Amino acid sequence: EVSDTVEAQTALILVNATAFAFKPGPRNYDRTWIRDGSSQALALLWAGLIEEAKTYVVWYSERIYANGMVPPILNPDGTINRGYGSDIEFDAQGEFVAIAADTYRISRDGAFLARIFEPVVRATRFIEELCERTNALHGPESRFHGLLAPSISHEGYSKPSYSYWDNFFALLAWRDCEYLAVEIGDAEVAAHA
């Protein structure tokens, strides 16, 4: 029963996928979110479908903004979705870096690491900008000091709010960025992370 469930869920991910992207479902979710896609890529990694996960991570890395913001939602054709939430879901930063690191941990593919390292660093450094937005609003004595800017990442927020969810993924991003920097031999980035 367990192996049948794993096989069925793996097939569901692949059946709903486009050429490069994983989607959370077939109908209402005809877009891709890094939140769902990173989880689906991880499931494929553990199912032994490493190339599919690598392809997804590289594909997503090519859509990261020049300033390092990871777009949380992409349209079916791979363009950045500009609808509500497209620039205020900050869990995307850490989720992208986490799946990039997990893909490397499992694949140990140096060529893959070389392709995604710069976008990983850019995405991780954007976290500093998100923290500065909060710090500009609240002084260093505030309980909000150092947190990522308010977002709608966590389902159910009616307006942007501070989120433990976002900050958890941000910390994960710094840890994973340091790991990848050590692996590629970039001591400066590793020390910064």
Side-chain angles (χ1 to χ4, degrees):
E1 288 180 12
V2 171
S3 64
D4 287 347
T5 301
V6 170
E7 186 176 342
Q9 292 306 304
T10 302
L12 184 65
I13 292 168
L14 297 173
V15 164
N16 286 320
T18 65
F20 300 104
F22 306 127
K23 299 185 302 183
R27 292 189 229 32
N28 293 340
Y29 292 100
D30 197 27
R31 292 177 282 175
T32 185
W33 280 257
I34 187 65
R35 176 182 310 122
D36 301 284
S38 63
S39 298
Q40 291 167 313
L42 185 61
L44 294 179
L45 284 170
W46 288 115
L49 300 171
I50 295 170
E51 291 305 314
E52 289 82 350
K54 288 192 314 190
T55 299
Y56 172 74
V57 173
V58 168
W59 178 80
Y60 218 103
S61 76
E62 294 167 350
R63 282 140 180 84
I64 296 173
Y65 289 63
N67 69 355
M69 182 176 165
V70 176
I73 310 165
L74 299 176
N75 295 317
D77 64 359
T79 59
I80 296 170
N81 182 280
R82 305 286 182 187
Y84 184 71
S86 64
D87 58 353
I88 50 174
E89 291 192 28
F90 301 134
D91 57 334
Q93 300 304 124
E95 289 159 348
F96 168 75
V97 176
I99 192 56
D102 285 339
T103 302
Y104 175 73
R105 277 186 190 98
I106 292 170
S107 71
R108 306 301 295 173
D109 182 338
F112 167 79
L113 177 55
R115 280 190 79 180
I116 56 91
F117 184 67
E118 187 278 330
V120 161
V121 173
R122 198 166 8 112
T124 306
R125 289 201 168 151
F126 185 71
I127 292 168
E128 292 172 308
E129 180 179 319
L130 294 173
C131 293
E132 286 305 315
R133 291 181 193 178
T134 297
N135 293 345
L137 292 173
H138 306 281
E141 303 305 315
S142 166
R143 67 188 176 114
F144 298 110
H145 185 76
L147 296 179
L148 272 65
S151 80
I152 61 164
S153 304
H154 197 282
E155 301 288 334
Y157 288 175
S158 58
K159 64 178 181 145
S161 302
Y162 292 101
S163 168
Y164 287 120
W165 173 271
D166 292 350
N167 289 282
F168 167 79
F169 280 111
L171 291 172
L172 191 62
W174 284 113
R175 183 197 72 180
D176 286 338
C177 182
E178 178 188 25
Y179 163 71
L180 294 174
V182 168
E183 287 293 306
I184 207 167
D186 191 326
E188 183 179 339
V189 169
H192 182 80

